Amino acid sequence: MYKEIFKNYVEDIRLEGRYREFVDVTRLANQFPYAIRNSSGKKIIMWCINDYLGMSQNRLVIEAAIAAIDDSGIGSGGTRNIGGNNSFLLELEQSIAALHKKEKALVFTSGYVANDATLSALAKIMPDIVFFSDESNHASIISGIRNSKAKKFIYTHNDIASLEYFLQQVPLDCPKAIIFESAYSMDGLFSPMREIVNLAKKYNALTYIDEVHTVGLYGSKGAGLAAEFGLESEIDIIQGTLAKAYGTIGGYIAGKEELTDAIRLSAPGFIFTTSLPPMIAAAANASIKHLQNSTVERNLHQDRVSKLKAALDNAGIKYFKNQSHIIPIIIGDPFLANKISAKLLDEHNMYVQHINFPTVPKGTERLRITITPYHTDEMIKDFVCALVEVFQEVGIKLEEAA
């Protein structure tokens, strides 16, 4: 009976065009953004990876991890409370706090866990808190708010009027928190950060910003969009990841000492989870420090983004316009998006994973393209040519060249 239940569930997903196949790749440490597709043995170029600056391949980061392995071995050995605390983690938290100009930081095993654990803990600390969450917030934020069982209002994406309408429904002296992202991962839009901060002050709300797709990439030291816009001191809780621009794994929050200490003492996702391995903490710390002192990667990254967008415009390939490094090409059909992705990989050795529901709403299936400082002009030219060829093969019309 149970086998049939699971089989039927999977079959329903297949029929909707949402069945996901893993692409087995081996990334090449000295040849980023190349990888080997293990099913064919062919060399491919990654065009959808979140290792935005290639920091997972940076020699300083790799050497920091190796040194930590030589010093402390592989695993941390336990939770932070029971043997898993170490100097590598403490130094990492100090670096994160300094990066965001906050009093204290707290490291989690992933960005997902950081959001889920922190938001649910806030409701434990303040049982009558009300959350105001952007409708396009990440699944980890949705999970954290759901697990908190706190009252919530979901406002229209990036809509200040919608947010203020809901804020007006709650007494001024009631604890509240506005939860939003600095840049949204699937459409690449920036949030109206200044306006949100102003509303938070007006209605006595905490601000909680998810900067996972902007830390390392924006701001003079890589502290993200809040820093770039001069608003980091006005954001109460900054949440980020070490798994994207910093090239490692893990998540974190940064804020006032009292707040982060309260989360440390109350979040099950922190208390009961084995801590990050010393080698990861050391590597992440090295990555943060490097990007605080180097603008080379960020400047080149922005240059590559601009050149790819210009090339797409010139080729007549329509993409969702935004100010960020994320380049979504909306296909609008799960089967067609899958077909395009497969053709790019099978016929052109270019890997762009198609994105379907539930990651994006049905009818907005897309290719989500990300470029790094290590994609060359020739790679950009070849990629755009491949897109044109595949689009013509599947019947997608191109716009007139810009």
Side-chain angles (χ1 to χ4, degrees):
M1 179 183 76
Y2 296 110
K3 180 178 180 179
E4 286 301 311
I5 290 172
F6 295 127
K7 182 179 178 182
N8 291 337
Y9 180 83
V10 171
E11 186 59 27
D12 286 343
I13 290 176
R14 285 186 189 275
L15 291 173
E16 292 177 18
R18 296 195 294 115
Y19 188 80
R20 302 182 183 207
E21 300 275 3
F22 286 147
V23 178
D24 181 8
V25 300
T26 298
R27 296 174 64 198
L28 302 173
N30 298 313
Q31 300 179 52
F32 185 77
Y34 285 105
I36 298 296
R37 184 185 184 191
N38 292 319
S39 61
S40 65
K42 290 184 177 180
K43 205 176 198 180
I44 63 174
I45 299 176
M46 310 287 279
W47 284 97
C48 57
I49 198 162
N50 284 339
D51 187 5
Y52 292 132
L53 299 179
M55 290 303 293
S56 70
Q57 318 294 309
N58 183 282
R59 286 312 307 175
L60 291 174
V61 175
I62 292 171
E63 287 165 8
I66 292 170
I69 291 173
D70 288 339
D71 287 343
S72 297
I74 302 294
S76 68
T79 67
R80 292 288 291 274
N81 291 319
I82 309 176
N85 196 36
N86 56 69
S87 60
F88 296 102
L89 280 168
L90 294 174
E91 289 172 13
L92 174 58
E93 288 176 340
Q94 290 170 2
S95 293
I96 292 169
L99 173 70
H100 293 294
K101 298 180 181 177
K102 298 297 184 186
E103 293 176 3
K104 195 170 182 179
L106 194 63
V107 168
F108 297 79
T109 51
S110 73
Y112 190 106
V113 173
N115 274 331
D116 192 354
T118 300
L119 293 170
S120 57
L122 283 174
K124 185 183 295 185
I125 297 162
M126 296 177 283
D128 52 349
I129 193 171
V130 180
F131 289 118
F132 300 82
S133 180
D134 189 293
E135 67 178 348
S136 293
N137 278 341
H138 189 261
S140 57
I141 293 174
I142 296 169
S143 177
I145 293 173
R146 182 188 298 119
N147 290 338
S148 77
K149 297 182 171 59
K151 185 175 181 179
K152 66 180 183 295
F153 292 96
I154 310 301
Y155 65 90
T156 305
H157 181 43
N158 276 350
D159 189 323
I160 292 301
S162 173
L163 173 57
E164 183 162 25
Y165 171 79
F166 289 123
L167 285 166
Q168 291 170 343
Q169 312 306 308
V170 179
L172 199 63
D173 60 353
C174 177
K176 54 185 77 71
I178 303 171
I179 319 298
F180 61 105
E181 300 182 31
S182 57
Y184 286 85
S185 63
M186 288 299 134
D187 58 23
L189 291 175
F190 291 167
S191 61
M193 201 179 302
R194 166 54 71 185
E195 291 87 345
I196 291 173
V197 167
N198 290 341
L199 283 183
K201 292 177 180 178
K202 182 177 179 180
Y203 292 97
N204 190 32
L206 291 170
T207 45
Y208 182 111
I209 190 169
D210 177 317
E211 289 246 42
V212 299
H213 290 279
T214 55
V215 289
L217 296 175
Y218 299 91
S220 62
K221 302 290 184 181
L225 279 180
E228 179 146 312
F229 297 155
L231 292 170
E232 61 188 347
S233 65
E234 301 181 62
I235 303 288
D236 296 295
I237 305 172
I238 294 177
Q239 183 268 347
T241 187
L242 305 167
K244 293 181 171 60
Y246 291 124
T248 59
I249 187 69
Y252 63 82
I253 60 167
K256 293 283 189 183
E257 183 171 359
E258 300 84 2
L259 185 150
T260 53
D261 213 28
I263 300 298
R264 178 182 71 87
L265 296 168
S266 60
F270 177 84
I271 297 170
F272 299 106
T273 301
T274 300
S275 62
L276 286 179
M279 61 177 179
I280 296 297
N285 199 24
S287 186
I288 289 171
K289 288 183 177 297
H290 175 78
L291 290 175
Q292 277 184 294
N293 296 314
S294 172
T295 60
V296 173
E297 293 83 0
R298 280 190 293 279
N299 291 341
L300 187 53
H301 181 245
Q302 287 298 316
D303 174 77
R304 301 288 83 194
V305 170
S306 296
K307 286 193 174 179
L308 177 54
K309 287 182 175 181
L312 291 170
D313 286 333
N314 289 333
I317 296 174
K318 186 178 180 181
Y319 59 93
F320 190 89
K321 299 297 175 72
N322 56 47
Q323 298 171 278
S324 76
H325 57 285
I326 295 164
I327 305 176
I329 298 178
I330 310 299
I331 305 301
D333 178 273
F335 298 98
L336 186 56
N338 186 6
K339 184 176 182 179
I340 294 169
S341 179
K343 276 183 163 291
L344 286 168
L345 187 57
D346 294 339
E347 299 171 13
H348 299 275
N349 299 315
M350 297 173 182
Y351 180 28
V352 183
Q353 183 62 45
H354 60 289
I355 309 293
N356 291 343
F357 179 84
T359 308
V360 296
K362 290 180 180 179
T364 69
E365 293 82 7
R366 67 197 63 191
L367 304 179
R368 178 185 179 273
I369 299 164
T370 54
I371 193 169
T372 76
Y374 301 97
H375 286 83
T376 65
D377 287 351
E378 184 178 1
M379 288 178 184
I380 292 172
K381 179 182 176 182
D382 291 344
F383 178 59
V384 172
C385 287
L387 279 174
V388 168
E389 182 178 321
V390 171
F391 278 18
Q392 289 174 336
E393 288 174 359
V394 302
I396 294 179
K397 292 183 179 179
L398 304 175
E399 297 182 330
E400 289 188 16

